[in-house]
Amino acid sequence: MAVYAAPAFYAVLLWWFSTGVILLLDHLPRKTHRWSMAGGTIVLAVALWAIGTSARDASESGVYTAFTAAVLVWGWQEMSYYMGFISGPRPEACPPHLSKSEKFFAALGTSLWHEFAIVLGGLAILVLVWGQPNHFALCTYATLVLMNASARLNLFLGVRNLNAELLPPHLGYLAGYLAKRPMNLLFPFSVSLGTIAAALMARATLSDETLAHELVGYTLLASLTALAVLEHWFLMLPLPSAALWQWSLPGKVTPIAIETKDSAVNPHD
């Protein structure tokens, strides 16, 4: 059992701590963001080097290194967007009276350069692991990209809990692109496919043909995917998910107006 518990615990700890650090840095005064981003870029360079090095290392330690480095690369992507350094050609509030399709493309305009940066990050990792025995950095990054895209689409289509307190004040304009609704048609598919993916990766750890480093890798990926599914459920169920990162949030949070099916409301009402 310990062979599964150790990587699962590590995945949970890294997910929780890295998310908290990013939230903490995002909510610091704007004047600190350029220094945070400079430090984050140094971490990005080290992470990419670690991915290239670990790609040749088909061992348990190599898999842990690849997984951690991929999470750090993703963390840089998140920081660059939420600090406003890499966003899109129209980082502004949603224009009124748009149709659903128009609103979608307007929302895309707030993050288009961010989407390109995500693709470039994936291509960089692909080049670094190409033809090497340890591919878990690429698998980790792909998991983060797909589950994040799913969560963002669900937020656009409408969820019960928007967790507005996690949004930095300078990104308040994004509220107009989020919707507060009891359910949307994408959500059941998101959680179902995520759960199936986690189950398939967990099943792979039980195969007699799975090598020791692959067992660690699949356990890490299954745990990460399960956490992403849990984050999706946080969007719908009345759970105090923000409390998980209370240590990284400011004492007072400015409420933002969120669209409901009929009108805008305060998410804290």
Side-chain angles (χ1 to χ4, degrees), residues 210-262:
T210 301
L211 302 176
H213 77 282
E214 293 175 330
L215 187 149
V216 170
Y218 288 132
T219 304
L220 288 168
L221 289 175
S223 302
L224 184 65
T225 306
L227 289 168
V229 172
L230 178 63
E231 285 188 302
H232 277 66
W233 282 112
F234 283 159
L235 299 175
M236 286 297 182
L237 298 179
L239 299 173
S241 57
L244 290 171
W245 297 285
Q246 195 61 49
W247 57 273
S248 65
L249 296 173
K252 291 186 178 180
V253 180
T254 303
I256 58 176
I258 303 293
E259 174 198 344
T260 63
K261 190 171 183 178
D262 300 314

Side-chain angles (χ1 to χ4, degrees), residues 151-224:
R152 290 167 67 186
L153 284 172
N154 275 280
L155 284 163
F156 174 79
L157 294 172
V159 296
R160 287 180 182 271
N161 309 310
L162 293 162
N163 294 320
E165 61 269 35
L166 302 182
L167 197 65
H170 59 273
L171 293 183
Y173 67 86
L174 291 178
Y177 300 98
L178 310 180
K180 191 176 179 68
R181 293 184 175 89
M183 180 55 66
N184 68 73
L185 294 177
L186 176 63
F187 183 80
F189 292 97
S190 296
V191 295
S192 296
L193 292 175
T195 301
I196 291 171
L200 289 175
M201 286 182 278
R203 181 183 178 184
T205 66
L206 303 175
S207 173
D208 293 336
E209 299 178 357
T210 301
L211 302 176
H213 77 282
E214 293 175 330
L215 187 149
V216 170
Y218 288 132
T219 304
L220 288 168
L221 289 175
S223 302
L224 184 65

Side-chain angles (χ1 to χ4, degrees), residues 63-77:
V63 171
Y64 276 111
T65 299
F67 179 81
T68 304
V71 171
L72 292 175
V73 173
W74 179 254
W76 184 90
Q77 299 284 10

Side-chain angles (χ1 to χ4, degrees), residues 2 11 34 51 54 59 62 76 94 97 109 130 144 147 151 159 178 185 194 215 217 224-225 254 258 265:
R34 63 172 180 259
I51 288 173
S54 64
S59 69
W76 184 90
C94 181
H97 312 304
W130 188 267
L144 290 165
M147 295 306 289
V159 296
L178 310 180
L185 294 177
L215 187 149
L224 184 65
T225 306
T254 303
I258 303 293
V265 299

Side-chain angles (χ1 to χ4, degrees), residues 117-137:
I118 289 174
V119 173
L120 290 175
L123 290 175
I125 295 175
L126 177 62
V127 170
L128 290 170
V129 305
W130 188 267
Q132 302 300 326
N134 182 358
H135 58 271
F136 283 102

